[in-house]
Amino acid sequence: VNRRVIAHVDMDAFYASVELLRYPQLQGLPVVIGGGRRRGPLDHSPDVADFERLRNYTGRGVITTATYAARGFGLHSGMGLMKAARLCPDAIMLPVDFDEYRRLSRLFKAAIRAIAPQLEDRGIDEVYVDLSAVPGVDDGQGLKLAQLLQAEVRAATGLTCSIGVAPNKLLAKLGSEMQKPNGITLLMPEDLQSAVWPLPCRKVNGIGPKAAERLTAMGLHTIGDLARCSRDDLIDSFGAHQGAWLHDVAWGRDERRVVTQSEPVSMSCETTFERDLHAVRDRAELSAIFTRLCQRLAADLQRKSYVGRNIGIKLRFDNFSSITRALTLPEFTSDAAAIRRAAGQCLKRAPLERKLRLLGVRVGGLMRSDEVMSHTVDVAQSLSLFDNEALTGKR
DNA sequence: TCTGGGGTCCTAGGACCC
DNA sequence: TCTGGGGTCCTAGGACCC
């Protein structure tokens, strides 16, 4: 049996660290990333006093990432900015700059790929890497390889990362969190009892707030507690699928492969309004936003060369409850007007008594637009070549 | 003034078909 | 006059993740 060597590489406080790279004068200060898109360009080397402070913020944003200094004040990602402002009014607030984060994301992934090509993307700031076939990985060289990965990532980006090395994804992911920032943790099966069992169940990727609460209610707090449950008891409580999975997790078992390529399933655009809007009273404003979302989504699909035929909307009401409505079109599309029409049909089936907080549009059932050739949609498109506009050469 | 935006996967029920 | 068993597609909601 070939034992695998899997690494999980997790960039440390990624967005915040990218900003500290740009503004080294903020090093060591509480800084949070979040809020609006951008708020006027800053000078190249602004004084610390020139940065926006949390105390001046009004709005509905949340913290996307907090520097380690900010975490010292109890700030963390997902926290509402208004609440964060109460905890640490002097914290510096920076708008998100996704283009820059994506640029550095590509750099760090390329640096890793150059050493270990079997890489699975897990979002902008983390990856799994299968090191099994990398030369020199045998007996005890896992640490050396992880050090090499860290060095190359830092050389390529100036950023630090934390790495877990283990026989599978589950343990590698647990490991990468254990010695943040800039840490390396090797987890072997024999470390299960000493290093993994003491951890709260919530640390496991896939056990969220709801599952953790159910486990707590059963008196199960740590992964070790879980390991003392029989497989059958867990299956009785959580169902065949999740119960068996929980049991495997507790014993450090995970056979999932590192998936080096995948296709997107859906794309979406959504926005939270600055104030809650009423479907009737704010009809014009809402309609304009709705159309803009569809246009942005269509542009995204076209830029990435995808079409889809499942069109859906998401509504969030003033009480934070959400609903979705969706329909499947007979033909694939990435056309803004077609998406807008279908999404409008969906909206008709939604209750609109309450004020709205968020509106979203989604296209699912995606297919690469260059693979759609033989499809009926192209019949429609080629037919449109013969419409009047094309024939008369207008436009 | 609590609670962003972009995703994936799972479940459950109904429609429909063989 | 009581009622199969699969399979697939679709919708809606929910849990979870980054």
Side-chain angles (χ1 to χ4, degrees), chain A residues 80-135:
Chain A
L81 286 168
M82 297 302 288
K83 182 178 176 188
R86 285 197 294 276
L87 287 173
C88 186
D90 290 322
I92 285 161
M93 189 182 72
L94 293 170
V96 290
D97 180 357
F98 280 111
D99 290 340
E100 181 67 357
Y101 310 149
R102 265 191 291 267
R103 188 178 72 81
L104 283 148
S105 179
R106 282 191 293 271
L107 285 180
F108 100 78
K109 286 169 190 173
I112 293 172
R113 227 178 242 116
I115 298 162
Q118 298 291 311
L119 178 146
E120 175 175 337
D121 231 297
R122 294 303 299 187
I124 198 163
D125 69 340
E126 58 182 78
V127 294
Y128 288 104
V129 196
D130 192 334
L131 300 176
S132 308
V134 174

Side-chain angles (χ1 to χ4, degrees), chain A residues 105-376:
Chain A
S105 179
R106 282 191 293 271
L107 285 180
F108 100 78
K109 286 169 190 173
I112 293 172
R113 227 178 242 116
I115 298 162
Q118 298 291 311
L119 178 146
E120 175 175 337
D121 231 297
R122 294 303 299 187
I124 198 163
D125 69 340
E126 58 182 78
V127 294
Y128 288 104
V129 196
D130 192 334
L131 300 176
S132 308
V134 174
V137 77
D138 309 325
D139 29 58
Q141 296 305 294
L143 176 62
K144 280 253 163 60
L145 258 175
Q147 286 168 338
L148 176 63
L149 290 173
Q150 269 188 337
E152 293 298 308
V153 166
R154 196 201 276 261
T157 63
L159 298 168
T160 65
C161 59
S162 297
I163 304 183
V165 182
N168 60 45
K169 287 176 162 185
L170 169 74
L171 296 174
K173 172 85 176 167
L174 287 172
S176 69
E177 263 217 48
M178 286 181 177
Q179 302 189 66
K180 268 187 162 295
N182 200 23
I184 295 174
T185 304
L186 263 57
L187 280 182
M188 291 299 131
E190 54 268 30
D191 303 320
L192 193 66
Q193 196 169 344
S194 62
V196 176
W197 283 0
L199 297 175
C201 297
R202 187 67 179 81
K203 292 283 180 193
V204 173
N205 192 248
I207 299 181
K210 300 286 179 179
E213 194 163 339
R214 283 183 70 185
L215 290 167
T216 300
M218 296 165 68
L220 306 175
H221 303 278
T222 67
I223 301 176
D225 293 338
L226 211 51
R228 269 186 270 104
C229 291
S230 76
R231 197 176 181 84
D232 286 343
D233 284 349
L234 287 171
I235 287 174
D236 284 345
S237 302
F238 287 89
H241 191 79
Q242 206 190 0
W245 174 75
L246 283 171
H247 189 258
D248 286 342
V249 160
W251 289 90
R253 295 194 270 257
D254 176 18
E255 295 300 316
R256 288 172 303 160
R257 319 305 304 180
V258 169
V259 179
T260 54
Q261 44 194 345
S262 63
E263 287 291 318
V265 171
S266 70
M267 293 187 192
S268 63
C269 272
E270 65 184 46
T271 188
T272 296
F273 314 132
E274 285 175 23
R275 60 179 183 90
D276 296 338
L277 298 178
H278 193 272
V280 177
R281 232 184 9 270
D282 304 304
R283 190 174 192 284
E285 190 174 355
L286 218 39
S287 172
I289 292 169
F290 196 18
T291 301
R292 234 177 295 136
L293 285 171
C294 294
Q295 287 166 344
R296 273 176 46 199
L297 182 52
D300 269 14
L301 286 161
Q302 288 162 23
R303 186 164 46 79
K304 296 174 183 160
S305 294
Y306 285 95
V307 289
R309 55 191 279 263
N310 188 271
I311 315 292
I313 61 166
K314 176 163 96 177
L315 305 180
R316 177 125 70 212
F317 300 102
D318 53 4
N319 65 355
F320 216 71
S321 66
S322 321
I323 61 156
T324 61
R325 292 291 179 271
L327 64 79
T328 299
L329 296 173
E331 292 165 358
F332 288 85
T333 189
S334 61
D335 178 69
I339 293 168
R340 178 65 177 79
R341 267 194 306 278
Q345 290 301 113
C346 292
L347 191 59
K348 286 184 184 166
R349 310 197 324 250
L352 294 172
E353 288 79 47
R354 301 199 73 98
K355 285 181 142 191
L356 295 170
R357 175 190 179 90
L358 168 149
L359 178 60
V361 184
R362 194 187 88 105
V363 174
L366 296 186
M367 167 179 228
R368 287 214 57 104
S369 47
D370 47 38
E371 285 171 23
V372 87
M373 294 309 179
S374 59
H375 249 274
T376 45

